[in-house]
Amino acid sequence: MTTLDPATTASALRGVCEIHLPGDPGYDAARRPWNLSVDQRPAAVAVPATTQEVQDLVVAAAAAGLRVAPQNAGHGAAALAADGLDDVVVVRLSGLSDVSVDPDARTARIAGATTWGQVVAESSPHGLTALHGSSPSVAAIGYLLGGGISCYGRTHGLAANSLRGIDVVTADGALRHADATEHADLFWALRGAGANLGIVVAAEIDLIAQPDAHAGMMMWDREHAPAVVATWASWTRDLPESVTSSLRIMAFPPAPELPPFLSGRDLVVVDGVTLEDDDEATGLLEPLRALEPELDTFARIPALGVLDVHMDPPEPVPGIGDHAMLGPLEDDAVAAFLGVLGPGTRSGVTIAELRHLGGALARPHAAGGALSAVPGDYALLCLAMAPDAEAAAAGRAAAADVIRAMAPWTLPTRIPTFTEARSDPATMFDVATRERLTGVRDTFDPQRRLVANHPVAAERP
Ligand SMILES: Cc1cc2nc3c(=O)[nH]c(=O)nc-3n(C[C@H](O)[C@H](O)[C@H](O)COP(=O)(O)OP(=O)(O)OC[C@H]3O[C@@H](n4cnc5c(N)ncnc54)[C@H](O)[C@@H]3O)c2cc1C
């Protein structure tokens, strides 16, 4: 690792694009990621406004012996910061935020930092939507490059498979277009291993014809968790692929910034999307509705509304996250989950979530990339609010307790977008895929100039 003094970094980078260096008045605001618990201190933060500036920046950083790390909103910042960023320029693409929809081709061209909220706002007037996740503020490219578990995932598969073409600035500063025929190996590698290969400045994605959906959430007090968790677990075993849902145990302190129905509440919530007509959807939801939720919002809603169903926080928050992949949830697994998260327990996690996988998410895509499917029946996600170091340590321990309780049902794999801690790439890619990824990385980044949140073949040659 080369650590440059700020004066050398300044003379290498100033003038290339908007640059924030330690000591600059704007540095603290520029380095702050969406996940406010991550205190990342890179050598510099660059905010290029054009693709040419991205290229110039990559060349200038390399000439100065600095590495570069693409970061958009910083939802996945925890893994990136894991190794320290003393010789790293964090590249924020916030200047590249644009979307244009081709309704006839059912595609959208999105720039590097475009959020899912922007993509759906532009595509829904055409009766189209995208394979977005649960949050409108997550940047589409970061999500797509890490696989992307969509609200429509069980029907339409991993969101990375919706990528048609990618424009990427590689480690030599060249702008390359990668798709099924041009730089096909790079296209394959980007779809899963993302920032290991370059800084993606734009992408073309397939949209789906879905003007609306029968979607919503049901909510109960946590005292009803035994019945709700057992029912949801058995419900998800036989569901058609048209339904993608999740169950969360949520514990909120009283807080004025929360909606009143969440503030100070201990809850169990099921939300989801059903791509069926209203009668069929109503029939499918009957076992949950029979548990008499105190709030039930399931109804036909516009595609834009699907982005709000999961109630993800709209503004940056400080959080500690952990994730495990689970197999089938039979009665013993449900009992273990309730043992740490059921009524009366004090686990310390703010949200413990089970996302139902399977269906099209489990089927590898014939023309897919390094990650085109995920094994497993459920993704377990734990999130603890971490406003300070003490809360972060407690949250980390609490999340680990939940993950440990589910160990007997845990598979040795992880989904990149859900993995907040730096993780062994062997948990994300099999041996053959890792070998092929290493080969592509050797071609496009032989000096290991790019820093990804989840490095593959990170060791320098
Ligand atoms: C509230 C919330 C809800 C979420 N919901 C979902 C969900 O439903 N499904 C799901 O799968 N994930 C979900 N995630 C996880 C999210 O998809 C990942 O954190 C994703 O990596 C976020 O991308 P970002 O650009 O916003 O974050 P960043 O931290 O900016 O980027 C994450 C990583 O992506 C890579 N990257 C980002 N942009 C580029 C680029 N232009 N070129 C090359 N590499 C790039 C880099 O390695 C970077 O370190 C959620 C996260 C949050 C905080």
Side-chain angles (χ1 to χ4, degrees):
M1 186 170 76
T2 323
T3 305
L4 300 183
D5 66 85
T8 313
T9 306
S11 71
L13 302 181
R14 288 244 201 253
V16 174
C17 63
E18 182 185 324
I19 296 287
H20 302 277
L21 297 170
D24 286 353
Y27 177 74
D28 281 340
R31 72 184 176 85
R32 194 175 302 133
W34 194 90
N35 184 344
L36 299 174
S37 74
V38 178
D39 184 23
Q40 56 181 14
R41 291 172 186 275
V45 181
V47 191
T50 63
T51 297
Q52 186 60 54
E53 285 189 358
V54 177
Q55 295 180 256
D56 294 345
L57 176 81
V58 168
V59 171
L66 292 160
R67 299 184 293 156
V68 290
Q71 185 175 78
N72 283 321
H75 288 83
L80 184 66
D83 287 348
L85 300 171
D86 289 353
D87 67 333
V88 173
V89 182
V90 162
V91 185
R92 284 210 193 287
L93 296 178
S94 38
L96 301 174
S97 171
D98 187 27
V99 53
S100 61
V101 172
D102 181 338
D104 297 326
R106 290 187 184 169
T107 57
R109 183 173 168 80
I110 54 179
T114 312
T115 63
W116 280 125
Q118 289 173 274
V119 177
V120 181
E122 290 299 321
S123 47
S124 59
H126 305 286
L128 302 169
T129 192
L131 297 184
H132 61 77
S134 60
S135 165
S137 68
V138 161
I141 300 273
Y143 163 104
L144 288 162
L145 299 179
I149 304 294
S150 170
C151 305
Y152 306 102
R154 283 174 40 80
T155 316
H156 291 288
L158 214 57
N161 299 329
S162 69
L163 279 160
R164 278 192 171 200
I166 297 175
D167 292 342
V168 58
V169 175
T170 45
D172 56 357
L175 174 64
R176 293 185 158 89
H177 177 77
D179 63 20
T181 54
E182 200 176 338
H183 292 305
D185 249 19
L186 182 60
F187 184 53
W188 171 86
L190 281 163
R191 291 174 293 158
N196 288 277
L197 288 314
I199 301 178
V200 173
V201 290
E204 191 183 359
I205 57 169
D206 284 321
L207 300 173
I208 54 170
Q210 198 68 51
D212 47 35
H214 194 103
M217 65 99 165
M218 295 186 198
M219 188 178 104
W220 299 258
D221 191 273
R222 201 201 295 213
E223 69 180 4
H224 299 290
V228 176
V229 177
T231 303
W232 183 79
S234 96
W235 184 67
T236 49
R237 269 172 228 145
D238 302 318
L239 270 182
E241 293 182 5
S242 56
V243 186
T244 303
S245 70
S246 84
L247 176 144
R248 279 172 298 168
I249 303 281
M250 305 168 99
F252 293 111
E257 61 272 23
L258 288 171
F261 71 96
L262 295 180
S263 177
R265 294 294 311 272
D266 240 0
L267 300 164
V268 53
V269 175
V270 172
D271 67 71
V273 176
T274 60
L275 299 183
E276 301 281 358
D277 65 34
D278 290 343
D279 285 348
E280 186 66 25
T282 302
L284 283 168
L285 290 164
E286 184 47 39
L288 295 170
R289 208 157 261 152
L291 301 174
E292 298 179 356
E294 67 178 73
L295 192 62
D296 176 356
T297 68
F298 272 94
R300 182 146 303 272
I301 58 171
L304 197 53
V306 174
L307 278 163
D308 297 323
V309 158
H310 203 64
M311 302 180 294
D312 279 343
E315 299 298 333
V317 289
I320 296 295
D322 209 343
H323 151 61
M325 190 81 94
L326 305 180
L329 289 184
E330 302 298 346
D331 293 349
D332 50 356
V334 169
F337 187 74
L338 289 166
V340 275
L341 293 158
T345 57
R346 283 275 162 260
S347 82
V349 297
T350 312
I351 299 174
E353 173 168 5
L354 293 166
R355 281 215 193 179
H356 188 204
L357 305 176
L361 287 167
R363 287 194 289 275
H365 197 276
L371 191 69
S372 75
V374 290
D377 298 82
Y378 302 87
L380 170 63
L381 304 161
C382 295
L383 176 79
M385 285 302 131
D388 54 42
E390 198 183 330
R396 207 167 280 117
D401 281 348
V402 175
I403 302 276
R404 201 175 306 114
M406 300 309 289
W409 303 276
T410 297
L411 308 177
T413 52
R414 284 167 178 266
I415 299 168
T417 48
F418 285 165
T419 304
E420 297 233 349
R422 174 63 56 80
S423 292
D424 181 350
T427 62
M428 297 170 189
F429 306 104
D430 63 25
V431 178
T433 305
R434 292 201 307 279
E435 279 173 9
R436 188 172 166 195
L437 283 171
T438 303
V440 182
R441 193 153 189 214
D442 287 345
T443 303
F444 290 99
D445 184 16
Q447 306 293 319
R448 305 296 190 256
R449 291 278 176 217
L450 285 149
V451 187
N453 57 349
H454 298 303
V456 291
E459 69 289 351
R460 284 160 191 251

